[in-house]
Amino acid sequence: MTYFARKIGFYLVALWAALTLNFFIPRMMPGNPVDTLMAKLQQRGGTVDPAARKAYELLLGADRSESLFQQYVSYLGNVLRGDFGVSVSAYPARVSEVIGQSLPWTIVLVGMATLISFALGLLLGTVVGWRRGSWLDSVVPATTVLAAVPYFWLALVLAALLSSTLHWFPLLGGYDVALQLGWNREFISSAVYHGTLPALTIVISSVGGWLLGMRNMMVSTISEDYMLTARAKGLRNRRIMVRYAARNAALPSIAGFATSLGFVVSGSVVTEQVFSYPGVGTRLLQAVQNNDYALMQGIFLVITVAVLGANLLVDLLYGVIDPRTRTSH
């Protein structure tokens, strides 16, 4: 019980630290979200008096009459109420609405691609590690090279080859704009078709790391004494590989799965921008370009909570799977 309480306490402190950084970092950037909004209104032919500017400052949480500490306290209170303010880049929509529209796209894209690359990497790593020294080992360097390739470069290469040259997949967007959004077969098919190429980019970039890690753990596990005992009992090779070797070799990969979500999400920001995918990554870049503090904070908070939550869940599950971790200091 002490182990679980300590883990939960650690992640609560990490969440508070992330919230604090989430508040201060955007305010260290040059510019002001109110100035951006005022410029947009003036471009449309409108005039803004001081009273209107004051109202927008209060609305966007950029009131200069409050100290930074007062803004910080107000920010924490708003976060607890689920109020992230109004978005400048999508004005007058609220941040929660903007995130609610774009988050499902990223969850499906990043979530499915990460699960596919994780499962594929573990499967290939199991086979390659079990048959170490065979021609299958030649697969490892190729996948490792692909894992080292920057996201944006791989995305551009795939877009040029599979979209512009071969016309197998659409180049831009998350769905056919002529369709109406909804849970119907035509729209879902279009969304899957448009999301295949961005997902393929994430899978190709991620699968190599899982394959290499699983392969090395399989080689180490095979040399254990209990593997020799299993062979001495006359068990089938397939059963030994799956139930004895792979089951134990996969533990470090499972522990690292949640940690990898943060890197995949950061990479998806670039991937979504290359393919103009309507996910959180595209919204985050728009927020940075428009000094949209509220939207930046909301997106960072969602990503932070998702990564911390996944890590906490894996840590708790790992403590159940491997009781030895609960006794470590």
Side-chain angles (χ1 to χ4, degrees), residues 14-279:
L15 178 60
W16 170 79
L19 287 172
T20 303
L21 290 174
N22 194 20
F23 172 81
F24 284 105
I25 289 179
R27 283 163 173 76
M28 296 178 183
M29 299 173 61
N32 187 297
V34 179
D35 293 335
T36 303
L37 183 56
M38 296 300 100
K40 287 183 178 181
L41 293 176
Q42 290 174 356
Q43 287 175 358
R44 297 172 184 173
T47 57
V48 182
D49 57 25
R53 181 183 178 86
K54 179 66 175 178
Y56 283 125
E57 287 180 348
L58 293 172
L59 183 66
L60 298 174
D63 186 8
R64 295 177 179 177
S65 64
E66 290 186 347
S67 66
L68 197 61
F69 178 75
Q70 290 175 322
Q71 294 180 31
Y72 175 67
V73 174
S74 300
Y75 159 74
L76 292 180
N78 291 334
V79 167
L80 292 176
R81 293 193 299 270
D83 181 11
F84 302 112
V86 178
S87 170
V88 172
S89 54
Y91 186 83
R94 302 195 67 81
V95 170
S96 56
E97 297 174 3
V98 176
I99 295 178
Q101 293 171 358
S102 56
L103 185 60
W105 294 94
T106 298
I107 289 176
V108 173
L109 173 65
V110 177
M112 293 301 297
T114 303
L115 288 174
I116 291 172
S117 63
F118 177 73
L120 186 61
L122 260 60
L123 177 62
L124 293 176
T126 299
V127 176
V128 173
W130 182 256
R131 300 182 179 179
R132 65 190 185 283
S134 66
W135 64 270
L136 290 173
D137 271 339
S138 61
V139 177
V140 177
T143 56
T144 305
V145 170
L146 289 174
V149 173
Y151 264 74
F152 72 91
W153 189 85
L154 181 61
L156 290 172
V157 169
L158 291 179
L161 178 62
L162 301 182
S163 293
S164 300
T165 303
L166 299 177
H167 304 288
W168 288 357
F169 300 101
L171 181 61
L172 302 173
Y175 59 94
D176 188 348
V177 294
L179 299 177
Q180 185 176 3
L181 277 71
W183 292 101
N184 54 77
R185 182 178 180 181
E186 191 175 11
F187 175 78
I188 294 175
S189 299
S190 176
V192 171
Y193 181 48
H194 281 74
T196 300
L197 192 55
L200 185 62
T201 303
I202 298 175
V203 170
I204 292 176
S205 298
S206 306
V207 71
W210 297 119
L211 190 156
L212 181 61
M214 187 62 180
R215 185 261 179 198
N216 293 339
M217 286 304 302
M218 280 290 293
V219 173
S220 176
T221 303
I222 288 173
S223 63
E224 296 291 338
D225 292 339
Y226 62 83
M227 294 294 297
L228 183 61
T229 303
R231 289 192 178 96
K233 290 181 177 179
L235 300 178
R236 291 180 301 173
N237 283 338
R238 184 175 179 180
R239 183 179 181 183
I240 296 175
M241 181 181 69
V242 176
R243 298 194 62 180
Y244 288 82
R247 185 175 181 180
N248 289 281
L251 288 176
S253 296
I254 295 174
F257 176 72
T259 305
S260 69
L261 288 177
F263 297 101
V264 174
V265 170
S266 63
S268 72
V269 174
V270 180
T271 304
E272 289 179 4
Q273 185 62 22
V274 171
F275 295 104
S276 295
Y277 195 78

